[in-house]
């Protein structure tokens, strides 16, 4: 029976029968809908999409009942969600054309539980919408309206989309009536590990951890849109991008049991990102990067820092020749593929431009002015309005990284230095927290101390003993600096996060060794002005112990100088039938923000900003005298 219940095709075919049941609110052929109704698109965890018309009196229970009629499966033990919001009853926060997600509750998931998919056949979708419809009423989508119309004209005239063979997820070239590629569409249910991925990377339901554990399956699409919306004044040259509901038979649908492609193609509707296709000559991986404009690298890097891009490799930087003088060509760079930006927690970003000499050149006055005018609070409010499904943790990462960028640029750090402070280091293929993460860990501990008086009392003896050791070492510390954080408080936070008793015991041994080394005199020569550097050296020693937490599982897969995709695409045939959990390469999360309430978050930001100057000073002191970096693509 399960095989009959897991096809998104059947969901789409249920729409016309469902419409006849649901009080006749659907009106096709351009007829206006009643003002008192709104339309939502409900997507199931297997990728099915249903368009529903709601009255002002309808609530979440009404939606579930109507979905139950269409799907012919129980929805009592399911959840209707909209980003972070679980819709228990009231739907007043839901705008017209919003995408909702209907999933089974976690405790009710099992291999024998039927998926939220219908059992009806031989019906065609009729949800009253066009072939391609922009979701939401974004004021930024005016530039893509004409593009969408061109695509629909082409489809009606028999010019079908073309599947794209490259990449890990499903993607399609949509064309105009001349057969020219004009847009790239990426369905959310065909992402890596999503239910209908056409390239064998399956095994996850929508809403579960994806290719990056801090980016959920099915949520890369709105991140593509967010990157475009945040690119004010087309500063970094991100192509216009919107979220759409698109209907066509070209899309991939897997058999729900065996995850094999269905051979009998049916017209299905999907929620997807749609990005304007930009004609180009090659990507940055196919050309020496030394000839790329400095300002283009800086602008793309500024965007990557703001959105904490975890996937900026040379393959997603398109290059277009603009001609030139004297045989020297000029180039334009177009950044694409931002689906892995704005994670819900900090992990290891990937900035390939770190290795390029342009990133070590100081920012220009125009770039510094642009950075100065970045307003992360305004940006967050804008994204909440334009993409209300975005999760609050993603917005907190945006705020944090924007503040970090602004403060670092004002301090005088270059793009490469900022990117390096955000990137983790690897020793023996094991990752350590970045300098940014160390600052966040300390800021979070300071917040914990303020909010938990018993925590301070608990640590008083340790802190007192630590101060005695420091006094004997003749090291002077000024109050209210980074040194005020108890070292074992930092260890306790990490150990609680990792929940590893053996790790705790090993860290205690490391602390004892470190304290002995301090007493023996290496720190004696440091003066009072070097307290920032001293703490960071201590934190660095502590972070070395963190590598032990990775011994029980796979390591992170980002290494400087390599493309992330290569780790996953190697030995492709042997991985095709492996589960998503087996294919996933995990990366440790040292810092999370979702567990803080609003008051704690605001206090965290205050502490975070105060700790940045010592961190920047430490970074600058360590980089003085270093020779200029040259990326591998720039060596001759």
């Amino acid at each position: 029976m399960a095989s009959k219940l897991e096809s998104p095709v059947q969901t789409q075919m249920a729409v016309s029968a469902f419409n006849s049941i649901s009080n006749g609110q659907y009106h096709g052929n351009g007829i206006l809908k009643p003002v008192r109704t709104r339309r939502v698109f409900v997507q199931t965890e297997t990728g099915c999409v249903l368009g529903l018309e709601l009255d002002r009196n309808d609530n979440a229970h009404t939606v579930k009942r109507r979905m139950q009629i269409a799907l012919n499966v129980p929805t009592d033990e399911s959840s209707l969600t909209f980003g972070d919001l679980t819709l228990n009853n009231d739907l007043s926060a839901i705008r017209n054309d919003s995408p909702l997600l209907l999933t089974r509750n976690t405790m009710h998931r099992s291999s024998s539980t039927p998926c939220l998919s219908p059992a009806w056949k031989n019906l065609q979708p009729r949800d009253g919408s066009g072939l391609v419809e922009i979701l939401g009423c974004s004021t930024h989508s005016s530039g893509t309206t004409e593009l969408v119309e061109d695509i629909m004209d082409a489809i009606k005239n028999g010019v079908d989309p073309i599947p794209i063979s490259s990449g890990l997820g499903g993607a399609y070239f949509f064309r105009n009536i001349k057969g020219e590629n004009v847009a790239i569409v990426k369905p959310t249910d065909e992402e890596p590990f999503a239910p209908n991925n056409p390239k064998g990377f399956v095994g996850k339901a929508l809403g579960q951890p994806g290719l990056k554990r801090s980016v959920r399956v099915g949520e890369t699409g709105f991140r593509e849109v967010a990157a475009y919306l945040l690119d004010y004044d087309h500063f970094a040259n991100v192509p216009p991008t919107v979220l759409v509901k698109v209907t066509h038979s070209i899309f991939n649908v897997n058999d729900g049991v065996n995850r094999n492609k269905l051979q009998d193609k049916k017209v299905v509707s999907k929620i997807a990102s749609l990005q304007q296709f930009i004609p180009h000559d090659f990507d940055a991986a196919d050309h020496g990067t030394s000839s790329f404009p400095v300002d283009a690298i800086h602008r793309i890097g500024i965007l990557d820092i703001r959105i904490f891009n975890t996937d900026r490799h040379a393959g997603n930087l398109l290059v277009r020749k603009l001609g030139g003088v004297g045989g020297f060509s000029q180039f334009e760079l177009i950044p694409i593929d931002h689906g892995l930006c704005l994670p819900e927690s900090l992990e290891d970003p990937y900035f390939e431009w770190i290795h390029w000499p342009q990133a070590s050149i100081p920012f220009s006055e125009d770039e510094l002015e642009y950075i100065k005018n970045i307003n992360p609070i305004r940006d967050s409010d804008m994204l909440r309005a334009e993409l209300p499904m975005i999760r609050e943790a993603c917005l907190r990462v945006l705020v944090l990284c924007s503040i970090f960028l602004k403060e670092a640029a004002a301090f005088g750090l270059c793009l490469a230095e900022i990117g390096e402070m955000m990137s983790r280091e690897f020793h023996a293929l094991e990752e350590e927290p970045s300098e940014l993460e160390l600052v966040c860990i300390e800021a979070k501990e300071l917040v914990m101390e303020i909010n938990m008086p018993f925590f301070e009392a608990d640590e008083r003896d340790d802190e007192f003993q630590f101060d005695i050791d420091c006094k004997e070492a003749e090291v002077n510390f000024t109050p209210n600096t980074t040194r005020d954080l108890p070292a074992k408080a930092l260890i306790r936070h990490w150990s609680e996060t990792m929940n590893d008793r053996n790790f705790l015991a090993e860290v205690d041994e490391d602390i004892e060794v470190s304290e002995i080394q301090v007493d023996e005199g290496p720190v004696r020569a440091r003066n009072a002005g070097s307290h920032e550097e001293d703490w960071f050296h201590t934190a660095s020693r502590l972070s070395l112990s963190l590598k032990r937490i990775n011994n029980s599982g796979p390591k992170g897969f980002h290494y400087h100088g390599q493309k992330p995709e290569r780790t996953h695409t190697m030995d492709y045939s042997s991985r095709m039938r492996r589960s998503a959990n087996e294919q996933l390469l995990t990366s440790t999360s040292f810092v999370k923000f979702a567990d803080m309430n609003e008051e704690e978050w605001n206090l965290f930001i205050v502490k975070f900003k105060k700790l940045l100057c010592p961190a920047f000073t430490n970074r600058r002191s360590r980089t003085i005298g270093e020779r200029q970096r040259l990326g591998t693509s720039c060596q001759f």
Side-chain angles (χ1 to χ4, degrees):
M1 178 171 179
S3 63
K4 296 181 180 180
L5 293 176
E6 295 203 9
S7 170
V9 174
Q10 296 168 359
T11 302
Q12 290 304 312
M13 296 157 73
V15 177
S16 63
F18 171 71
N19 290 341
S20 63
I21 299 172
S22 61
N23 64 31
Q25 291 295 319
Y26 285 93
H27 302 276
N29 301 322
I31 301 176
L32 294 177
K33 305 175 182 65
V35 177
R36 64 189 296 270
T37 66
R38 358 169 226 177
R39 181 180 57 186
V40 297
F41 294 99
V42 184
Q43 186 178 35
T44 73
E45 59 188 4
T46 56
C48 321
V49 179
L50 239 90
L52 300 179
E53 292 283 352
L54 302 179
D55 286 326
R56 64 178 63 178
N57 297 324
D58 287 338
N59 54 36
H61 299 293
T62 307
V63 172
K64 289 183 181 181
R65 285 198 301 270
R66 294 184 179 179
M67 293 293 290
Q68 180 170 338
I69 294 173
L71 302 180
N72 198 28
V73 294
T75 58
D76 295 337
E77 304 297 341
S78 63
S79 296
L80 191 65
T81 60
F82 185 56
D84 287 323
L85 186 63
T86 299
L87 305 173
N88 295 320
N89 191 28
D90 184 28
L91 297 179
S92 59
I94 307 304
R95 300 187 316 190
N96 191 47
D97 287 348
S98 293
L100 309 182
L101 180 63
L102 183 69
T103 62
R104 290 171 294 166
N105 294 336
T106 303
M107 64 181 297
H108 296 283
R109 293 179 186 271
S110 71
S111 58
S112 60
T113 304
C115 288
L116 297 174
S117 304
W120 296 349
K121 299 180 179 180
N122 304 321
L123 297 171
Q124 293 299 320
R126 296 289 187 274
D127 64 358
S129 60
L131 295 175
V132 182
E133 285 212 4
I134 299 174
L135 299 188
C137 50
S138 172
T139 57
H140 299 79
S141 62
S142 56
T144 55
T145 303
E146 184 177 349
L147 176 63
V148 167
E149 292 175 352
D150 290 344
I151 290 173
M152 288 194 293
D153 288 342
I155 293 175
K156 292 175 182 177
N157 284 276
V159 183
D160 292 326
I162 302 174
I164 300 175
S165 60
S166 60
L168 300 180
Y172 304 84
F173 283 126
F174 275 61
R175 302 182 288 175
N176 60 19
I177 200 168
K178 298 178 181 178
E180 300 167 332
N181 296 334
V182 294
I184 296 178
V185 171
K186 299 178 182 179
T188 58
D189 67 324
E190 296 187 27
E191 296 175 6
F193 303 131
N196 295 309
N197 181 275
K199 298 170 183 177
F201 295 96
V202 295
K204 295 281 188 177
L206 298 182
Q208 293 182 328
L211 187 62
K212 289 280 188 175
R213 299 193 68 84
S214 56
V215 177
R216 305 181 194 225
V217 174
E219 296 189 2
T220 64
F222 72 71
R223 286 174 165 85
E224 296 260 16
V225 180
Y228 169 67
L229 295 176
L230 290 169
D231 187 22
Y232 292 128
D233 303 323
H234 214 48
F235 185 74
N237 211 21
V238 178
T241 313
V242 291
L243 200 65
V244 296
K245 195 278 302 184
V246 57
T247 302
H248 203 277
S249 61
I250 191 67
F251 295 126
N252 184 68
V253 176
N254 291 330
D255 176 276
V257 176
N258 301 317
R259 304 297 185 187
N260 296 322
K261 297 181 181 180
L262 293 179
Q263 300 301 318
D264 187 15
K265 289 285 188 178
K266 300 292 184 181
V267 175
V268 296
S269 293
K270 300 205 175 189
I271 293 174
S273 65
L274 183 149
Q275 185 172 83
Q276 180 180 347
F277 174 75
I278 306 297
H280 56 281
D281 297 287
F282 42 81
D283 62 46
D286 299 326
H287 194 275
T289 59
S290 60
S291 58
F292 295 156
V294 173
D295 63 335
I297 300 299
H298 282 193
R299 291 177 175 222
I300 292 170
I302 289 170
L303 176 67
D304 287 341
I305 296 295
R306 291 171 64 198
I307 64 179
F308 200 82
N309 195 347
T310 66
D311 191 33
R312 173 62 72 213
H313 57 82
N316 56 36
L317 283 177
L318 306 181
V319 184
R320 182 163 60 180
K321 290 183 179 180
L322 299 178
V325 180
F328 293 95
S329 298
Q330 295 181 348
F331 300 100
E332 177 187 13
L333 299 185
I334 302 101
I336 59 171
D337 293 345
H338 298 101
L340 296 179
C341 72
L342 295 176
E344 294 182 41
S345 60
L346 296 183
E347 50 179 275
D348 191 33
Y350 187 82
F351 307 134
E352 185 153 331
W353 42 254
I354 279 182
H355 309 287
W356 300 351
Q358 296 94 325
S360 296
I361 297 176
F363 291 118
S364 67
E365 291 299 322
D366 289 342
E367 292 161 354
L368 289 173
E369 184 67 20
Y370 183 90
I371 294 173
K372 180 180 178 181
N373 292 330
I374 291 173
N375 186 331
I377 304 303
R378 180 192 62 189
D379 292 344
S380 297
D381 291 341
M382 181 271 294
L383 289 183
R384 286 191 189 97
E386 299 289 350
L387 300 170
M389 75 291 292
I390 193 169
R391 299 180 185 273
E392 191 64 27
C394 305
L395 297 178
R396 288 182 173 183
V397 169
L398 172 66
V399 170
L400 181 91
C401 294
S402 297
I403 292 174
F404 185 73
L405 170 65
K406 290 168 67 71
E407 297 291 330
F411 186 84
L413 298 185
C414 67
L415 180 63
E417 291 172 315
I418 298 172
E420 287 171 348
M421 290 189 69
M422 300 176 72
S423 302
R424 295 176 180 176
E425 292 186 0
F426 289 80
H427 295 279
L429 301 184
E430 295 175 348
E431 58 187 0
E432 301 175 4
S434 66
E435 294 172 64
L436 171 62
E437 287 173 306
L438 289 175
V439 174
C440 290
I441 290 170
E442 183 182 2
K444 202 167 183 180
E445 288 295 337
L446 292 175
V447 172
M448 291 172 61
E449 290 178 353
I450 292 174
N451 291 342
M452 301 172 62
F454 70 90
F455 179 82
E456 293 182 355
D458 224 16
E459 295 295 329
R460 188 172 300 159
D461 292 340
D462 290 335
E463 185 175 7
F464 181 70
Q465 181 64 43
F466 190 79
D467 288 340
I468 290 177
D469 294 339
C470 292
K471 184 176 180 180
E472 292 175 353
E474 300 179 2
V475 180
N476 297 321
F477 296 102
T478 57
N480 299 324
T481 66
T482 56
R483 194 64 180 88
D484 291 338
L485 176 65
K488 289 192 177 182
L490 184 61
I491 295 296
R492 175 170 298 185
H493 171 78
W494 283 337
S495 63
E496 288 175 349
T497 303
M498 306 312 166
N499 194 24
D500 188 333
R501 293 185 179 181
N502 293 331
F503 167 68
L504 265 178
E506 293 168 347
V507 167
D508 286 337
E509 294 176 2
D510 289 345
I511 292 296
E512 292 174 4
V513 172
S514 298
E515 290 175 348
I516 293 173
Q517 292 175 346
V518 169
D519 287 338
E520 288 176 349
V523 189
R524 293 178 188 270
R526 294 181 185 163
N527 55 35
S530 63
H531 54 268
E532 301 94 345
E533 182 178 356
D534 177 66
W535 182 86
F536 274 99
H537 280 288
T538 302
S540 179
R541 289 197 301 271
L542 300 180
S543 69
L544 287 174
S545 300
L546 286 170
K547 66 185 181 181
R548 295 179 174 86
I549 66 176
N550 292 324
N551 290 338
S552 60
K555 306 297 184 291
F557 65 91
H558 272 159
Y559 301 91
H560 292 306
Q562 297 182 11
K563 293 184 182 180
E565 285 81 3
R566 291 179 183 173
T567 305
H568 293 278
T569 54
M570 286 189 291
D571 197 17
Y572 174 82
S573 60
S574 65
R575 304 170 74 97
M576 285 287 287
R577 285 179 170 47
R578 296 175 63 186
S579 69
N581 287 329
E582 291 175 316
Q583 295 179 49
L584 268 175
L585 294 176
T586 60
S587 181
T588 304
S589 178
F590 296 111
V591 184
K592 295 181 179 180
F593 306 118
D595 57 348
M596 287 186 281
N597 60 37
E598 193 66 24
E599 181 181 357
E600 291 170 339
W601 168 249
N602 291 332
L603 181 58
F604 169 83
I605 289 297
V606 172
K607 298 297 182 183
F608 174 75
K609 292 181 70 173
K610 289 182 178 180
L611 296 172
L612 287 179
C613 187
F616 296 150
T617 302
N618 177 68
R619 156 60 58 168
R620 177 52 56 85
S621 66
R622 290 192 289 112
T623 55
I624 292 178
E626 285 186 359
R627 65 180 183 177
Q628 184 175 359
R629 268 173 319 278
L630 283 178
T632 55
S633 60
C634 300
Q635 294 178 354
F636 299 95

